Amino acid sequence: MFSVGIVGTGSYVPEEVTTNVDLEKIVDTNDEWITSRTGIRERHFAPKDVPVSELCYQAGLRALEDAKVAPEDVDLVIIATITPDYAFPATACLVADRLGAKNAAAFDLEAGCTGFIYGVATASQFIATGMYKTALVIGGETMSKILNWEDRSTCILFGDGAGAAVLQAVDEGSGFLSFELGSDGSGGPLLKQPAGGSMCPASRETVEKQQHTVHMAGNEVYKFAVRIMGEVAVKVLEKIGLTQADVDILIPHQANIRIVDAAVKRLGISPDKVIVNLDKYGNMSAASIPVALDEAAKEGRLAAGNTIVMVGFGTGLTWGACVLRWTKAGFTA
Ligand code: ACO
């Protein structure tokens, strides 16, 4: 089995910034409430005619450039998203085509905000076994397309963006050291898009009832998130005989600063080791972790040999974490 690591990253967010004050004009909310309850100050939204494949393409292109990998050398493209361009074909096929990754297998993966962790865990298996040499994993979302702008408890939370990573075999002892993935479908009703699938196909009625938008039991998800982030981070470290004291950098899913702070406190990890960018982007679902990873790399916060833990939770319910020994040094912005 080969060791597998990340050899390049890239990210992209749409230009348009929507601040909390902008949202005050749309829905009954205010900057003080959003900032104090979530830590979010602004988010980026894609224009109405821009699909998630465009954001994924831009992030993927940057990651390939960063890794100095030609598109035709990519063997596998996985896109983690809950806001695909279409139910079918897969967004990964569309993005592979645009990138010129004409030799790649391509599929979408749906694990909500845990999607990027599921994606790198999946892609790693193909490379570890020698079946493929190079994989491109992208977490991308246009959450703006599925928000109910009359529901102030959800529409203020999310943003659009995409983050990407190129995976290849790396020196033994570096790259991904362990993964921990989980799910509990009994929690599915807590966070879902009720209509548009085979359970409740699209109709005039479903559109009128806003059933194609995010429906969330915020408090329940909150409690689950704080508990699971701590548990899964400890578990993924224990698997390889490490503890929280060995962590150089923690990249948590960026849903709410209170969730991040509570999980970090439970873990006893120093806040200066934690990457947080939710103030600028809100919750970008599957894009949150890879965008944070790319920014941390470009800002020089990741040094070769660093032990990085990425941990997420999301709809499903799903959760996942990985320990990554960083191999790439000397990124330039
Ligand atoms: N502006 C002003 N007031 C608001 C707003 C708003 N945007 N939203 C809710 N309120 C009000 C409520 O109506 C309520 O008023 P009331 O007391 O008069 O009834 C009050 O604020 C408190 O509401 P709570 O829901 O108790 O607020 P809470 O502090 O729990 O924060 C939040 C809500 C931010 C949604 C929180 O529960 C949370 O972050 N949950 C987790 C969400 C999450 O992580 N989701 C992503 C999952 S990942 C994925 O897969 C997509």
Side-chain angles (χ1 to χ4, degrees):
M1 298 285 264
F2 298 99
S3 294
V4 183
I6 289 179
V7 298
T9 60
S11 62
Y12 178 78
V13 293
E15 253 175 55
E16 190 193 319
V17 175
T18 299
T19 64
N20 294 345
V21 173
D22 294 329
L23 287 179
E24 288 177 11
K25 294 166 202 148
I26 302 172
V27 70
D28 179 18
T29 190
N30 57 79
D31 178 37
E32 200 283 320
W33 192 97
I34 302 173
T35 308
S36 62
R37 297 291 182 116
T38 72
I40 299 164
R41 293 184 180 278
E42 55 191 39
R43 68 289 288 146
H44 294 241
F45 288 140
K48 279 202 162 46
D49 59 348
V50 171
V52 78
S53 60
E54 170 64 19
L55 313 191
C56 292
Y57 165 73
Q58 295 292 347
L61 196 63
R62 287 162 167 75
L64 290 178
E65 281 170 7
D66 189 46
K68 299 183 179 57
V69 165
E72 58 271 23
D73 291 333
V74 176
D75 302 304
L76 174 66
V77 176
I78 297 177
I79 293 191
T81 186
I82 55 169
T83 52
D85 281 18
Y86 310 102
F88 61 90
T91 302
C93 295
L94 307 177
V95 172
D97 179 55
R98 271 198 75 189
L99 287 168
K102 51 180 184 266
N103 299 310
F107 62 89
D108 289 357
L109 182 156
E110 196 209 284
C113 305
T114 326
F116 182 73
I117 305 286
Y118 267 69
V120 290
T122 304
S124 288
Q125 311 312 310
F126 287 94
I127 299 169
T129 54
M131 180 167 167
Y132 291 142
K133 284 196 165 58
T134 302
L136 175 64
V137 180
I138 306 174
E141 302 286 9
T142 44
M143 294 302 290
S144 59
K145 316 272 184 173
I146 58 164
L147 293 176
N148 177 353
W149 298 101
E150 289 163 14
D151 178 8
R152 66 181 182 172
S153 68
T154 53
C155 73
I156 54 99
L157 296 173
F158 296 95
D160 300 343
V166 178
L167 274 61
Q168 285 182 336
V170 293
D171 290 341
E172 205 182 326
S174 56
F176 292 104
L177 305 183
S178 69
F179 292 104
E180 176 69 27
L181 305 176
S183 73
D184 176 8
S186 72
L190 297 179
L191 180 50
K192 67 177 186 179
Q193 183 184 21
S198 62
M199 177 69 84
C200 188
S203 69
R204 184 187 295 268
E205 193 191 351
T206 60
V207 173
E208 280 167 5
K209 288 184 174 166
Q210 292 269 21
Q211 290 178 323
H212 303 271
T213 60
V214 173
H215 288 236
M216 181 174 70
N219 287 324
E220 296 305 309
V221 176
Y222 186 95
K223 282 182 256 168
F224 155 73
V226 171
R227 177 178 61 77
I228 205 72
M229 294 258 277
E231 278 178 20
V232 72
V234 169
K235 232 172 174 179
V236 78
L237 286 161
E238 271 176 3
K239 271 185 162 174
I240 45 167
L242 299 183
T243 70
Q244 294 93 299
D246 298 304
V247 176
D248 295 307
I249 295 286
L250 179 75
I251 306 182
H253 174 48
Q254 311 279 316
N256 181 326
I257 194 65
R258 287 158 54 215
I259 295 175
V260 172
D261 285 348
V264 166
K265 203 170 159 201
R266 278 187 178 201
L267 285 166
I269 290 177
S270 165
D272 63 328
K273 295 180 173 177
V274 183
I275 305 292
V276 174
N277 65 9
L278 62 86
D279 51 322
K280 294 185 290 180
Y281 304 124
N283 179 352
M284 295 185 289
S285 183
S288 278
I289 290 177
V291 170
L293 175 72
D294 181 52
E295 286 194 343
K298 303 277 160 61
E299 286 164 9
R301 290 190 68 180
L302 312 181
N306 272 177
T307 300
I308 300 167
V309 170
M310 299 193 270
V311 56
F313 63 92
T315 177
L317 299 167
T318 58
W319 56 89
C322 60
V323 181
L324 174 65
R325 184 138 303 144
W326 193 244
T327 35
K328 209 164 181 308
F331 274 87
T332 44

